[in-house]
Amino acid sequence: MRRKILITLAAVAVCLPGFAQALPSLLIPSEASVLGVGGAAVAGPTGAFAVDNNAAAMSLSPSKASVGVSYSLWQPSAAKDHLLGVGGYWHGGKLSLGASVKRFAMPSYEVTSTNGVVSQVDGVFKPADLSVALGGSFAVADWLSVGVAARLTSSSMAKDAKATVFGADISVMYAGESLRAALVVANLGGKVKYGESSYAQPTQARAGAAYTFLDCLTAQAELSYLFAGSFGAAAGLTWSMRDMLFVRAGFHYGSGNVGLPTFASLGLGGRFAGVSLDAAYLLMGPLGNTLQATLSYSF
């Protein structure tokens, strides 16, 4: 069984290098508006997937609530993974609540016996991760909020290699008139156990800031440290026209052999009557040609 798990995790590593840890899908941004600026999420605008990006942001949001659905065709030229997510939050004043559900489906593979013959019983298996998150935030002041999120993730790498694990995020955020800054520690929890094999969750610390110029241009920057042994940095720009049209560009740098690799991104979005449609496209590196789209409604 351990051999099956390693082979499957190695296949997952095609899109996210390194398989010394499990659940690399938890590192993938859920929103196209985030992916379009290089994945810089923690200090950005509060979207429908705030519980995944930064739960503390929910209590500092200018919107009363937001709901959205997102779809990603992740590295279609190689791995052909699919990420589908639904998320939302309700801003109740000082106290806010949010939730998300995400499913990351990986390419199917044939189950073979020890002599290399395709199994007539098991046939073809399709690995997948499913995560459900609930979170809350509390506004300590009009400009400061703290948040927590709890996440239950089920991972199925083979018929006899399945695991369920609990994880948690803690976050804090400052929001001024033009400047936003945040710190998030995500995916805290125990190891993911596939039978006798166990792997670490992708625990990481992220710090970021965003600054808006002239009410139409926002610059974002973020640093991250993955406890498995890699650093990351992301930076991006968003230009908006009358808060209706958004053009985005970003860059993400990833070091080591775990975590998100290096990529550049482009994004485009539109908003009318509370309805937003955003798209992001990745260039260069192993994640080239990745496409993500998010449809959301805020009020």
Side-chain angles (χ1 to χ4, degrees), residues 80-145:
K80 298 181 181 179
D81 299 324
H82 301 269
L83 176 65
L84 179 63
V86 178
Y89 72 87
W90 171 75
H91 181 193
K94 287 186 174 295
L95 179 64
S96 300
L97 301 173
S100 76
V101 179
K102 297 195 302 180
R103 185 178 188 272
F104 184 70
M106 292 160 270
S108 58
Y109 64 89
E110 294 180 333
V111 180
T112 60
S113 61
T114 55
N115 58 7
V117 177
V118 177
S119 172
Q120 297 298 313
V121 178
D122 297 324
V124 175
F125 189 84
K126 190 173 184 63
D129 293 342
L130 177 66
S131 63
V132 178
L134 298 174
S137 64
F138 182 79
V140 180
D142 292 340
W143 47 271
L144 182 66
S145 178

Side-chain angles (χ1 to χ4, degrees), residues 166-225:
F166 174 83
D169 305 346
I170 55 175
S171 55
V172 60
M173 186 170 197
Y174 161 85
E177 184 174 347
S178 300
L179 176 67
R180 294 161 63 95
L183 174 65
V184 177
V185 180
N187 305 319
L188 294 165
K191 289 185 177 295
V192 186
K193 296 182 178 180
Y194 299 100
E196 298 178 356
S197 304
S198 62
Y199 304 87
Q201 289 191 53
T203 305
Q204 62 173 341
R206 306 173 70 178
Y211 190 83
T212 300
F213 305 83
L214 306 174
D215 295 325
C216 66
L217 185 64
T218 299
Q220 294 175 234
E222 183 173 305
L223 295 174
S224 61
Y225 173 68

